[in-house]
Amino acid sequence: MTVQKLVFIRNKFISCQEFNSKYSWANIPTEEEDERNLPEKCVSIYYSVNIEQQTIEKLYMVSYAPQYKPSFKEISVAWVNEYFAVEPADLLQLDHPEENIIQPGGEIFCLMKEKGEVVGTVAMIIDQEEEGAVELGKMGVAKEFCGKGYAHPLMKEALMWAQKKSFSVVNLHTAAKLIVAVSLYEKYGFKPVPFQAHGHFARVDLLMRLTF
């Protein structure tokens, strides 16, 4: 399996080849990775670059495997608890992700550091009420790693997955008071759409949608 490699500088993504050609100090390897050196279910490698400091951090994006389940729950619960309260529908997805996200056709991605520490997660959940639609949910970055731009590769990977799976619509349920998060969604093309009440999450008061 060929693992995709991308460089991201803040919220801009370019190929490793293009990055190496632009910066004389760049030395990102472009050859194919030895799968034996990759974490299980690795789908992409992202290089986080700080141009001013001339630093490069290598990150792995993995799809769901049972060993990533604790990190998926821990990061999601911590994020929700910071602003709201965890609801029964959260625990249904977090405690049983195989049955409620993976088996219906969705996916979970985890972003991790080279030593294996998971720093962020996102889930793509099949929308059972709208044909051709998938919901982006459970996206969060561990608090100690906020501000490093890790939400961008999570968003990038999730949307690439939706396009590869030929979904025409990505829905996102959020709360208007999450100003930073809503701004991120808008940068990736999500727009508010008319919305009533959410049937499962009391905290939701904003529906955003991205159409491919």
Side-chain angles (χ1 to χ4, degrees):
M1 180 186 73
T2 300
V3 174
Q4 172 185 249
K5 292 183 177 183
L6 284 174
V7 172
F8 72 100
I9 306 168
R10 296 186 177 90
N11 65 332
K12 304 294 183 184
F13 294 86
I14 61 174
S15 69
C16 296
Q17 292 85 348
E18 182 181 353
F19 176 72
N20 286 341
S21 68
K22 280 187 175 182
Y23 301 96
S24 59
W25 54 270
N27 59 352
I28 293 178
T30 56
E31 65 272 13
E32 194 167 315
E33 295 276 333
D34 186 337
E35 290 189 17
R36 292 173 296 180
N37 299 327
L38 298 175
E40 185 176 355
K41 304 295 288 287
C42 183
V43 293
S44 298
I45 297 173
Y46 288 90
Y47 294 92
S48 174
V49 174
N50 185 310
I51 297 296
E52 292 76 19
Q53 298 179 10
Q54 296 188 5
T55 58
I56 302 172
E57 180 184 25
K58 186 178 184 180
L59 301 160
Y60 297 110
M61 188 72 72
V62 298
S63 57
Y64 183 77
Q67 65 262 38
Y68 304 133
K69 178 178 174 179
S71 295
F72 175 57
K73 180 177 181 178
E74 180 182 349
I75 291 173
S76 295
V77 166
W79 185 89
V80 172
N81 277 334
E82 185 171 353
Y83 300 99
F84 308 98
V86 174
E87 302 181 53
D90 289 306
L91 296 177
L92 192 65
Q93 295 174 334
L94 297 172
D95 288 333
H96 308 284
E98 294 92 346
E99 295 90 333
N100 294 293
I101 298 176
I102 302 301
Q103 290 176 11
E107 187 56 274
I108 296 168
F109 295 104
C110 295
L111 184 68
M112 62 171 54
K113 288 177 167 286
E114 280 195 90
K115 292 184 178 180
E117 183 177 11
V118 175
V119 299
T121 65
V122 65
M124 299 300 283
I125 305 161
I126 302 301
D127 193 323
Q128 303 292 348
E129 299 178 0
E130 184 177 354
E131 186 176 352
V134 64
E135 179 180 350
L136 188 152
K138 297 293 180 283
M139 188 166 104
V141 173
K143 190 171 184 178
E144 61 268 33
F145 298 109
C146 288
K148 295 182 177 292
Y150 292 159
H152 293 292
L154 288 166
M155 181 68 79
K156 178 76 171 177
E157 194 71 38
L159 297 183
M160 287 193 302
W161 180 88
Q163 289 182 299
K164 288 177 183 176
K165 295 291 185 178
S166 300
F167 289 101
S168 57
V169 172
V170 180
N171 289 321
L172 194 159
H173 293 89
T174 186
K177 78 173 189 177
L178 301 175
I179 298 173
V180 174
V182 171
S183 176
L184 172 72
Y185 307 148
E186 290 175 338
K187 287 177 182 176
Y188 282 87
F190 285 88
K191 299 183 183 303
V193 296
F195 173 66
Q196 300 298 321
H198 195 284
H200 303 291
F201 297 102
R203 64 179 178 266
V204 171
D205 62 9
L206 176 63
L207 170 62
M208 303 185 76
R209 176 171 292 178
L210 173 64
T211 303
F212 294 122

